Every structure is written in C-alpha cells, then in structure tokens.
Amino acid sequence: MGIIGCILGFLVVIYLCYKDWSVYLATFIGAAIVIAFNTLPFIGTLSGLFADGMFVAVKSFFFMILFGCIQSQIYVESGAAFSIADTIMSKMLKPGASNTKKNVIAMSVLLVIGIILNLGGITASVVVVLMYPIALTVFEYCDIPKRFILGVLGACSYTFTLTMPGSPQVTNVAAMTSLGTSSWVAPIPGLVGAVVEIVVIIVLLNRFINKARADDEHFALHPEDPHYDRESDRPGFIKSLVPMVVVFAAFNFGNININVCLIGSILLSMILFWPQLKIKNVKALLNKGANDSIHMTLTVAAICGFAGTVTGTEAFQSMLNAITSIDMPPLIICAVVVAVMCMLTGGSSTGQLISLPLIAPKLMSLGVNVGAIHRVACFAATTLDSMPYSGAILMLLPMCHMTLKEIYKPLFITTVIATFCGTVAVVLMCTLFPGLT
C-alpha cells in the first residue's frame, strides 16, 4: 500500500500541475496521499519531512534566484539584453533567410550563450532567467512562436551543459561527490553524448517550429513581457557583455562564491548601464526582480517538500531496493536506476546522491570502470528529472506568462528525448570502447 501511495502521489502531482493547479496545492495533495497510504502522522510529516525538504531548497537556491532575477530585470530595463540579441542576430541573419536557417541560427546563438554561462558556473535555472529577455528578442527577430522559448532555454541549461566533462554544475558534481572522481572522466563519451543531444535538439525543434509556422503560428509577446523600441537608447554590445564575462571569469577562474559573483555583476551592471537606468524607476525595477524571485523559490521548495515526504517512507526504500536488483547489463542498470531515482526525487543531483552509493559498488565489482559509471549516471540523471512536476520547470512559468500545457511539449523534446539519445550514445561508447573511460 505504501508503494501504491507513493506512485499515486506522483501521478496526482503531475496531473494537477499539468492542469494548471497551484503547485502548492498539488504538492500538498500529493503529500497527503503518500502520508495516508503509508500511515504516517499527518501534521508531524508535514512539519517534518515536507517542511525539511522545503527548507533545503530555500537554503540552497533563494539567493541565487533572487540575484539572478534582479540581474535579469536590469538587463531588460536597460536594453542590454536587446543589445546583445539584436547585434548578434543582425550580423548572422541576412534578409530573405529561410525559416529553417532562422531557426538554426536562433537556437545556435542561444545554445552558445547558455554553454558559456553554464560552464562558467552560473546555476542552470539562473541562466534561464538571465537569458529569457535575450531569447525574447531572438524569437521576435526570427518569428518563432513563443511557446518554444522554454524548450530552447531548457536545451541551453538542463541538458548536456549539466553533464558534459568539466561542467561545474551540480549534476556533474553530485557524481564526483558520490564516486570520488574528477569532473573530466570519460571525456570522449561525454563529448559525443553532448554532440548527439545538440543535433537531436536542433533537428527536432526545427521540424516542430516549421510545422507551427505552417499552422499560422507566429511570435507574440505577452502584455507583461519586455518589449524594446529599436530607436531607444541602450548600452553597446561590448558593454552589455561585460557583466556576464565578469561573472564567468570570477566564478570559473577566481573560485568566488556564485552569490558574490552575482552581487558584483548587479553592481557593475548598475554602473555600466546607468545612462539608460537613470531615467527609470530604479527602486521599482529592483523590487520587481526581487518579488519575481519569491514565487520561483517557493515553487522549487514545494516540489522538494513533496520529494522529501516520499523519500522519507519505508516504501521508497523498498522501491529503491527492487530497482537495484534488476538483472541487465551493468551500464544499463546504472542508467535505469539513476534515471528512475531522479524522476522520483525531481532532481538530477538528488537522485544520483541517493542511488550511486547503492549501485556503484555492485557495478565496480562487475568490472565496470568508475569513470564510465560517473558519465553514464550524469547523462541518465537528466532524462526523467524534468517531468511536469519538476520545480526547475514550474518555477519558470510565471516568468514567461505561459501555462505548463503550452510549453511542455518542446521542453519534453529537449530535456527528455534529446537527453535520452545522449545517454544511449554515452552507454554505447562506454560499452564498446571501455578504454575511453
């Protein structure tokens, strides 16, 4: 009954989130089902396991999301985001370009920016927030329907940038922590997996975007989305890039705490963009960025609270034991167990931290190289962690003023289908060429 309750709780949360119920109500109802089927004390579990899970999320992400939202608002109001996107697109996209060329250039530009920021150590969800105003301009320039925007931004932040060799993101770090490996293990399989994901993302999204255009879908801003007048004053291209470059350098080469990097970037942006910001209501724009961060943080916290309730049950431990006893090739066991654990916990790092200590010794006893385990686990962790109840996805809906139903299909393509293909490629490379690990 406990296992049924855990599964039913997940299904209810997924259904309610997809039907645009409040994530707070959805996770509360899901947790109540888990509590009832596992005969746990109702209030004690809510104030214990659920609240503890929420606290971990707030402690881990509040300031990163806060400063990321404020920086994003500065880039919107100053016109710096528009300056970056407009300069790049005007140089790369010539009049009369085909729809396919527009799509490929738009996705490539955003992917490159996403790679730079993610490999610079900016937290993936913060990268999405920082890039949103830039992506709006790129999408408007290429007339790509807005419902694809989180699919593309998800590709920039929630896929290979988390798992490729050398990535400083928590998905790669979780495997390092669990296995005692370096961030660069199995470099060739990891890079091959990243290339496979990029190809799948561009090919599939291009096809679906063109189909949407054929159905007479076009780009349309929400009334609350930022919109730029091309004739308005804005910072130059190089000046607009400086705060982003500073964050990248300070975190990646200076080993400075990410929150300190973001604070410094905000102050630098205020100084560099002051000619454009001084005519604005600076207090109002800073307040808006801060207020936007609250709902985003609590959305992640609610999902973590629900996951904490599930993982705290004996039924969850039983499911974990059953999955680890599956009889199949070692690296496939690794991929399946990690993917399922990340789906159950709603996070690519949490799932690895739970599953790898349990399965890694068994896999290594079968002769599997620890580097192969690391790289396969990282890629598998990003396949099922982005289900509709994922906090990393739900926290972005208020930012883009769209519903989960509108944005999830493109996100599914980039964060589930593409990552699955990348994981298959890594498993095959590590199996066929063990010397590369």
Side-chain angles (χ1 to χ4, degrees):
M1 290 296 290
I3 293 175
I4 293 173
C6 290
I7 295 173
L8 182 60
F10 273 104
L11 293 176
V12 167
V13 172
I14 292 173
Y15 176 80
L16 292 178
C17 288
Y18 202 75
K19 290 296 183 180
D20 297 321
W21 280 67
S22 165
V23 65
Y24 312 123
L25 290 175
T27 51
F28 167 73
I29 294 170
I33 293 171
V34 174
I35 290 169
F37 276 74
N38 286 272
T39 62
L40 299 173
F42 184 68
I43 298 300
T45 304
L46 288 179
S47 60
L49 292 174
F50 195 98
D52 289 346
M54 293 187 70
F55 173 75
V56 170
V58 173
K59 180 181 178 181
S60 301
F61 301 118
F62 174 71
F63 287 108
M64 285 188 293
I65 295 174
L66 170 66
F67 300 137
C69 285
I70 291 174
Q71 179 70 318
S72 177
Q73 193 64 22
I74 291 173
Y75 264 76
V76 167
E77 293 295 332
S78 67
F82 176 76
S83 180
I84 293 171
D86 187 56
T87 301
I88 294 175
M89 296 307 295
S90 63
K91 296 293 184 184
M92 298 186 66
L93 196 63
K94 303 304 179 184
S98 67
N99 284 335
T100 293
K101 188 172 183 179
K102 290 179 182 178
N103 299 342
V104 172
I105 289 176
M107 287 186 281
S108 299
V109 167
L110 293 173
L111 282 170
V112 169
I113 296 173
I115 290 170
I116 292 171
L117 293 178
N118 276 280
L119 295 187
I122 308 301
T123 301
S125 294
V126 174
V127 169
V128 175
V129 174
L130 289 173
M131 289 183 63
Y132 179 70
I134 298 174
L136 277 178
T137 303
V138 172
F139 269 50
E140 185 174 21
Y141 210 103
C142 297
D143 191 30
I144 299 174
K146 189 188 164 187
R147 66 183 177 89
F148 290 93
I149 196 164
L150 287 189
V152 175
L153 291 180
C156 298
S157 298
Y158 297 147
T159 57
F160 62 92
T161 56
L162 300 179
T163 59
M164 63 190 294
S167 173
Q169 296 295 326
V170 291
T171 305
N172 197 34
V173 173
M176 295 167 58
T177 302
S178 298
L179 301 172
T181 46
S182 78
S183 66
W184 285 95
V185 292
I188 295 178
L191 292 174
V192 169
V195 170
V196 168
E197 291 188 15
I198 292 171
V199 172
V200 172
I201 288 166
I202 291 177
V203 170
L204 291 184
L205 279 187
N206 174 63
R207 178 179 177 183
F208 281 93
I209 292 169
N210 281 339
K211 184 178 183 300
R213 284 205 193 92
D215 293 335
D216 204 32
E217 287 189 55
H218 300 280
F219 179 84
L221 282 170
H222 185 276
E224 295 183 32
D225 278 330
H227 181 69
Y228 302 104
D229 178 0
R230 293 183 179 276
E231 303 304 320
S232 64
D233 182 36
R234 60 181 187 266
F237 175 68
I238 299 299
K239 185 183 289 188
S240 298
L241 287 177
V242 169
M244 289 187 174
V245 173
V246 168
V247 170
F248 177 88
F251 185 85
N252 211 35
F253 303 114
N255 200 28
I256 299 173
N257 181 277
I258 185 58
N259 292 312
V260 176
C261 293
L262 288 172
I263 292 171
S265 179
I266 289 170
L267 295 175
L268 182 59
S269 298
M270 293 287 291
I271 294 171
L272 293 177
F273 307 156
W274 185 248
Q276 291 76 33
L277 292 173
K278 65 182 180 182
I279 61 174
K280 308 281 186 177
N281 186 334
V282 175
K283 182 176 75 172
L285 76 87
L286 294 177
N287 284 344
K288 185 178 186 308
N291 292 336
D292 287 346
S293 72
I294 300 300
H295 180 57
M296 296 176 69
T297 303
L298 290 180
T299 297
V300 176
I303 295 297
C304 289
F306 172 70
T309 303
V310 173
T311 56
T313 64
E314 292 182 6
F316 176 81
Q317 189 62 45
S318 298
M319 287 191 289
L320 183 61
N321 291 335
I323 294 171
T324 55
S325 64
I326 296 173
D327 183 20
M328 61 178 69
L331 286 179
I332 296 180
I333 291 177
C334 178
V336 170
V337 171
V338 171
V340 172
M341 286 301 106
C342 292
M343 179 186 72
L344 294 176
T345 58
S348 59
S349 57
T350 308
Q352 287 189 89
L353 292 173
I354 293 173
S355 59
L356 285 178
L358 296 173
I359 63 171
K362 176 181 177 180
L363 297 175
M364 286 188 282
S365 70
L366 296 173
V368 181
N369 184 283
V370 68
I373 298 171
H374 174 129
R375 196 56 57 206
V376 168
C378 282
F379 272 78
T382 60
T383 55
L384 298 178
D385 66 320
S386 51
M387 293 292 99
Y389 58 85
S390 169
I393 293 173
L394 295 176
M395 65 180 265
L396 301 173
L397 298 181
M399 176 187 72
C400 64
H401 312 290
M402 301 187 80
T403 65
L404 183 63
K405 190 174 183 179
E406 288 177 299
I407 61 90
Y408 190 68
K409 288 181 181 178
L411 258 173
F412 186 83
I413 290 170
T414 58
T415 63
V416 179
I417 294 177
T419 53
F420 173 78
C421 294
T423 301
V424 170
V426 173
V427 170
L428 288 174
M429 288 289 294
C430 291
T431 302
L432 298 175
F433 308 103
L436 297 178
T437 61

